[in-house]
Amino acid sequence: MEQQIKGTVSAIVFRNEENGYTVLNLETTDGDDITCVGNFPTLSVGAVLNICGKVTVHKVYGEQLVVENYTVCDPTSRAGIVKYLSSGLIKGVGEVTANNIYNAFGNDTFGVIEHNPMLLANVKGISKRKAMDIANAVSELKAMQEQIMFLQSYGITVNLAVKIYNIYKSETKSLVLANPYRLIDDVDGVGFLTADKIAQSMGVEALSEFRVRAALVYELKEAAEKQGNTYLVFDELIGTCGNLLGADLSEHGKLVEDTVAKMVLEPVVKVFDVEGQRCISLVRYYKLEKAIASRLITLNRDARRIMMDADNLIAHFEQVHNITFHASQLGAVKSALINGVTVITGGPGTGKTTIIKCIAEILTSHGLRLEFCAPTGRAAKRLSQSTGSDAKTIHRMLGFEAHGDKMQFKYNRSNPLPCDVIIVDELSMVDVSVMNSLLSALESGTRLVLVGDKDQLPSVGAGNVLADIIRSGVIEIRYLTHIYRQSEDSLIVSNAHLINKGKMPEINNKSRDFFVMSYSDFQQVSDTVVQLVTTRLPKFTGLPSSEIQVLGALKSGVAGVENLNMRLQQALNPREFGKSEVNVGKNILREGDRVMQTVNNYELPFVRFNEDGTLSDGQGVFNGDIGFVRRIDRANGIMEVQFDDNRLATYTEQELSDLQLAYAITIHKSQGSEFEVVVMPLVSGPPTIINKNLLYTAITRARRAVVLVGSKKVLALMVHNNYVTARTTNLCRFLQEEDALHKRYFGIAFQTNTDDNEN
């Protein structure tokens, strides 16, 4: 039940200065002492607060008031005024000076500080300069509190209000009043609905230029971040914006055209034609794809020639490792040794890892400096294990650094990576932003080997990098179709290839690694998945449940990811005395839980446990990182999560909403990862989701075994559903344009070698 309480802050038990999260003791006017938890932008002992919140009872810490909003009042008693002034918020004022000020002015202290601060110079130990410093400090604190209160009056949470204030500072109120929609562009976490709610409460016209512009930017951002589209067809964008605004924008052509014209001039958007259709893109994504295309063509043209006998070197590798390359694999190795940029693509078991090892050994023997990288920590770890070389995430290789809520890299155009060859695995996961950062850090002449499976799901972020490079036809592409890794009683690899061709997998439950358990009832599917993970598969494989990953197509439903997570948590990590836990929305996270980070957080601190036994500090966790909850410290409001790549990250309670249980995860979130055993519930759903591409991706995540649980009818529907959501991107077109431009000025820089290439 919501309560309103007034009181004085008697003690601050815990405070996180980065986000303002605080646990405090409040002495009420009735003499009661209440524990309050919430976000306070600034706070000191002695502050008088009017608090509105809900009382909850925690099993360890007892009754707490969870603060929803509050106002700050000037303290009116001697104790309150002295505590406030000497709290440390005002530099140079300790308890003695605070008492001297109160002795001089009594309960009118704040009136004097605000309206006649030079009178403070009459107090012992205070000079005229110090008097003004005190007045300025009090004024700044009040100004901040007023700005925060202003934002809260429009329903903005304290946490978000602090974030907005840290960007706009003293101009917060004036800037937001002038154009509340600027919050969408400037503040991470503010979408159209939040900004529009503020704007509408301020009386902004329903079809003002501000509102139309905001809707256009919002829809383009959503299309990029949620669907991967780097541009939209103009008429389609106007239609979706009209739905968002609740108006038919086709009837307001002049308003739309005037708004777009101004956005082009700013510049925020770029308008262009694609095959006779008028299209529009955010300038950011247009420039990213343009830069990627230019850099790839330049790198391909400027490759340093390496004098070597490739045939003998490859033959030596085959002899040492007791293997024989297929013709397509030989072609891939030679291409990487000759060309500036080579793409090697193939499904599971086609020898991509062996090819990488061969390329690396040959180039290293010629004194070249190599770097291995992948988009995620799990993918990089797998690459390290399979090649025996040190592999890093792309972010780590580039020297990721966080500056506020922005991401920067140590290695960039001005400070290129000190290497000669970059080998990138799992390229299908790389979006245009990461790809541009990588290419920007490569000096001219650096050789680039891009490895990936063209049939995997595309990146979560904007763009379709691997598919666009292949489709462009201007970079050397090597297709691996010969299955290289396949034992007689193994079906994972062969079935993955069958599914990719639109054929039903071989179902033989006597195999050692591919099983189908047929159930038509979703409750049976859910029950069976839980049994498999908790008892049956650990007994069959000898692996712990932590090595078994459930991959689902859908979040909701009886056999969906969310319900399976709750059931698996209860089975694998139930509530126990002495095991700390915390409520996060509708879920519970407890010590020992398997969890996943769901958004990029560039500022989150971590300690890395290096292989040589040393520790290193860093910051930044990323969407899709998986780990387990190592410790929950409720008294200090923190949680420690140990991630798979030996990072121990520390979360505050306000950052816990970025985590979710990961006993079961969506197939989209599994990209770039490899798990010992994969269990996949087969459930019906929309054809845009339940398709061949998704099934193929899930199966190829498994290393030792796959178990499909559900209806064979659903399995057949997925195998024969070729639906793939087409992304609208510019990279393919830009690559072709850049290639033509380079050929015009520099001659034929690249001639496609069609040997062993797929038509």
Side-chain angles (χ1 to χ4, degrees):
M1 189 172 105
E2 195 169 85
Q3 293 190 16
Q4 287 196 344
I5 299 171
K6 184 176 182 178
T8 303
V9 179
S10 57
I12 296 176
V13 179
F14 170 79
R15 180 166 175 77
N16 183 318
E17 292 297 344
E18 290 186 6
N19 59 23
Y21 179 77
T22 306
V23 180
L24 61 87
N25 292 333
L26 190 76
E27 186 180 327
T28 69
T29 52
D30 297 329
D32 296 328
D33 204 38
I34 296 177
T35 300
C36 302
V37 296
N39 287 84
F40 298 83
T42 60
L43 195 66
S44 66
V45 172
V48 178
L49 307 177
N50 269 322
I51 288 178
C52 179
K54 291 181 180 178
V55 175
T56 61
V57 179
H58 188 269
K59 66 177 184 179
V60 176
Y61 302 104
E63 191 174 275
Q64 296 178 332
L65 182 70
V66 179
V67 178
E68 294 178 346
N69 56 68
Y70 71 97
T71 57
V72 181
C73 312
D74 286 338
T76 54
S77 66
R78 179 188 186 102
I81 292 172
V82 170
K83 280 183 178 179
Y84 184 88
L85 292 175
S86 61
S87 64
L89 288 175
I90 302 171
K91 188 177 179 181
V93 177
E95 191 171 343
V96 172
T97 302
N99 271 301
N100 289 340
I101 293 172
Y102 185 84
N103 290 337
F105 307 112
N107 290 342
D108 194 33
T109 293
F110 283 100
V112 171
I113 292 173
E114 186 174 351
H115 302 295
N116 201 355
M118 292 313 296
L119 289 177
L120 291 172
N122 296 325
V123 176
K124 183 180 178 182
I126 299 180
S127 63
K128 289 182 179 180
R129 181 173 179 176
K130 189 172 182 178
M132 291 308 299
D133 287 343
I134 293 171
N136 289 335
V138 171
S139 176
E140 286 174 12
L141 287 170
K142 283 197 169 186
M144 179 180 182
Q145 290 160 357
E146 287 171 4
Q147 305 276 10
I148 298 295
M149 297 308 131
F150 158 74
L151 293 170
Q152 284 185 273
S153 69
Y154 290 103
I156 296 175
T157 64
V158 177
N159 200 25
L160 185 54
V162 171
K163 186 183 283 189
I164 294 169
Y165 177 81
N166 286 337
I167 294 171
Y168 297 146
K169 299 296 183 183
S170 62
E171 295 183 289
T172 298
K173 186 174 181 179
S174 60
L175 290 175
V176 172
L177 284 173
N179 178 15
Y181 293 109
R182 69 178 298 148
L183 293 168
I184 300 171
D185 295 337
D186 298 340
V187 185
D188 228 11
V190 177
F192 179 83
L193 295 180
T194 300
D196 196 47
K197 183 180 177 182
I198 298 170
Q200 295 302 298
S201 64
M202 291 178 178
V204 174
E205 292 180 20
L207 280 178
S208 69
E209 191 176 291
F210 279 152
R211 194 165 186 250
V212 173
R213 180 192 184 282
L216 291 168
V217 171
Y218 174 76
E219 289 292 352
L220 286 169
K221 272 181 147 181
E222 286 288 291
E225 295 170 3
K226 301 291 176 63
Q227 288 104 42
N229 300 309
T230 57
Y231 74 85
L232 293 175
V233 174
F234 193 87
D235 290 343
E236 292 176 5
L237 173 62
I238 299 308
T240 56
C241 284
N243 294 334
L244 185 65
L245 298 174
D248 185 357
L249 290 184
S250 64
E251 298 178 358
H252 301 273
K254 187 175 186 307
L255 171 63
V256 171
E257 291 298 336
D258 288 348
T259 303
V260 171
K262 290 180 180 178
M263 294 171 71
V264 170
L265 290 173
E266 287 182 44
V268 175
V269 298
K270 180 81 173 176
V271 178
F272 50 93
D273 284 344
V274 176
E275 296 179 354
Q277 285 188 305
R278 190 183 183 199
C279 299
I280 185 168
S281 167
L282 290 171
V283 166
R284 161 178 161 74
Y285 292 111
Y286 190 90
K287 287 184 174 180
L288 283 174
E289 291 189 294
K290 197 79 171 172
I292 291 169
S294 176
R295 199 76 189 110
L296 281 172
I297 297 301
T298 301
L299 287 169
N300 199 40
R301 185 197 72 211
D302 293 345
R304 300 184 184 103
R305 185 174 177 81
I306 305 173
M307 302 302 295
M308 65 173 71
D309 186 343
D311 290 332
N312 279 336
L313 290 168
I314 295 171
H316 177 71
F317 179 88
E318 289 177 310
Q319 183 180 6
V320 169
H321 295 277
N322 194 27
I323 61 171
T324 301
F325 280 128
H326 182 266
S328 63
Q329 294 153 352
L330 281 171
V333 174
K334 289 180 180 179
S335 176
L337 299 178
I338 296 168
N339 295 297
V341 181
T342 300
V343 173
I344 300 171
T345 182
T350 55
K352 295 191 296 292
T353 299
T354 307
I355 287 170
I356 291 172
K357 289 178 69 174
C358 181
I359 294 167
E361 284 193 20
I362 291 173
L363 293 177
T364 302
S365 70
H366 280 70
L368 298 181
R369 300 163 299 172
L370 271 68
E371 287 280 359
F372 299 82
C373 64
T376 67
R378 292 182 71 88
K381 186 176 181 180
R382 190 177 78 244
L383 184 60
S384 291
Q385 292 170 342
S386 59
T387 62
S389 301
D390 180 32
K392 306 182 182 77
T393 64
I394 296 174
H395 285 78
R396 189 180 172 202
M397 181 184 71
L398 296 180
F400 163 79
E401 297 172 345
H403 294 272
D405 60 351
K406 302 297 181 184
M407 177 177 63
Q408 293 183 10
F409 293 108
K410 173 184 176 183
Y411 295 109
N412 50 47
R413 195 179 307 279
S414 303
N415 182 34
L417 268 166
C419 68
D420 302 301
V421 183
I422 299 285
I423 297 178
V424 186
D425 197 13
E426 294 287 357
L427 186 68
S428 63
M429 291 184 65
V430 177
D431 62 28
V432 291
S433 179
V434 174
M435 189 66 177
N436 179 65
S437 296
L438 171 63
L439 296 178
S440 296
L442 306 186
E443 62 182 351
S444 182
T446 302
R447 205 170 235 87
L448 189 60
V449 181
L450 304 171
V451 184
D453 186 343
K454 66 181 179 62
D455 297 309
Q456 293 285 351
L457 294 170
S459 62
V460 175
N464 204 1
V465 174
L466 176 58
D468 281 349
I469 293 174
I470 292 173
R471 195 157 52 93
S472 73
V474 301
I475 299 294
E476 178 83 355
I477 312 296
R478 288 291 171 166
Y479 299 88
L480 307 177
T481 55
H482 178 73
I483 298 176
Y484 192 75
R485 169 173 55 87
Q486 176 76 41
S487 56
E488 292 181 4
D489 56 349
S490 171
L491 289 178
I492 290 180
V493 173
S494 59
N495 277 343
H497 285 272
L498 284 172
I499 289 167
N500 200 32
K501 294 175 182 177
K503 299 178 181 179
M504 283 292 287
E506 179 183 344
I507 300 173
N508 175 9
N509 284 352
K510 292 183 179 179
S511 79
R512 65 179 176 85
D513 66 357
F514 194 96
F515 309 93
V516 178
M517 304 184 71
S518 184
Y519 298 98
S520 57
D521 180 73
F522 289 159
Q523 186 61 55
Q524 286 182 300
V525 171
S526 180
D527 293 343
T528 303
V529 168
V530 173
Q531 292 166 12
L532 285 166
V533 175
T534 55
T535 56
R536 295 170 67 176
L537 281 170
K539 185 177 179 180
F540 175 73
T541 63
L543 295 170
S545 295
S546 59
E547 297 291 333
I548 301 167
Q549 183 63 56
V550 177
L551 300 181
L554 303 175
K555 290 183 180 179
S556 58
V558 175
V561 164
E562 292 174 349
N563 187 53
L564 287 171
N565 263 322
M566 288 189 286
R567 294 194 62 186
L568 288 167
Q569 181 192 45
Q570 179 58 34
L572 296 170
N573 191 31
R575 181 173 291 168
E576 293 178 7
F577 179 76
K579 184 184 288 184
S580 293
E581 62 181 46
V582 61
N583 289 331
V584 181
K586 61 182 180 181
N587 298 314
I588 294 172
L589 297 182
R590 64 174 61 102
E591 290 175 341
D593 272 336
R594 185 172 172 83
V595 292
M596 171 183 277
Q597 176 77 9
T598 59
V599 297
N600 291 334
N601 185 333
Y602 304 127
E603 296 183 281
L604 195 71
F606 66 77
V607 174
R608 187 187 299 277
F609 299 88
N610 301 315
E611 292 184 2
D612 60 3
T614 61
L615 300 178
S616 56
D617 295 329
Q619 56 187 146
V621 293
F622 305 97
N623 187 2
D625 286 350
I626 294 176
F628 71 93
V629 179
R630 180 166 158 174
R631 185 172 73 95
I632 297 175
D633 183 348
R634 285 298 303 267
N636 291 312
I638 61 172
M639 175 190 287
E640 292 179 350
V641 176
Q642 179 81 54
F643 287 103
D644 290 343
D645 58 353
N646 297 323
R647 285 172 300 157
L648 181 65
T650 302
Y651 289 75
T652 66
E653 289 198 30
Q654 297 308 299
E655 292 159 334
L656 295 183
S657 60
D658 295 344
L659 291 169
Q660 67 181 30
L661 291 173
Y663 299 103
I665 62 175
T666 62
I667 296 166
H668 281 88
K669 291 285 189 181
S670 73
Q671 288 174 265
S673 297
E674 185 177 66
F675 308 99
E676 292 296 319
V677 180
V678 164
V679 178
M680 179 185 174
L682 296 171
V683 296
S684 56
T688 54
I689 298 175
I690 306 299
N691 56 43
K692 179 186 75 175
N693 200 212
L694 199 76
L695 178 63
Y696 174 79
T697 299
I699 289 172
T700 54
R701 298 305 89 201
R703 187 178 176 205
R704 290 176 55 172
V706 171
V707 185
L708 305 179
V709 185
S711 165
K712 290 183 181 178
K713 181 180 178 181
V714 173
L715 175 60
L717 286 172
M718 295 188 78
V719 169
H720 297 113
N721 180 10
N722 292 318
Y723 180 88
V724 177
T725 304
R727 294 188 172 190
T728 50
T729 58
N730 280 314
L731 182 57
C732 173
R733 181 166 60 91
F734 287 165
L735 277 166
Q736 292 169 342
E737 291 173 356
E738 287 290 331
D739 183 59
L741 190 65
H742 274 265
K743 285 176 180 176
R744 186 185 311 159
Y745 288 105
F746 300 103
I748 303 299
F750 168 73
Q751 181 65 47
T752 303
N753 183 345
T754 57
D755 292 346
D756 307 320
N757 277 15
E758 186 180 88
N759 293 323

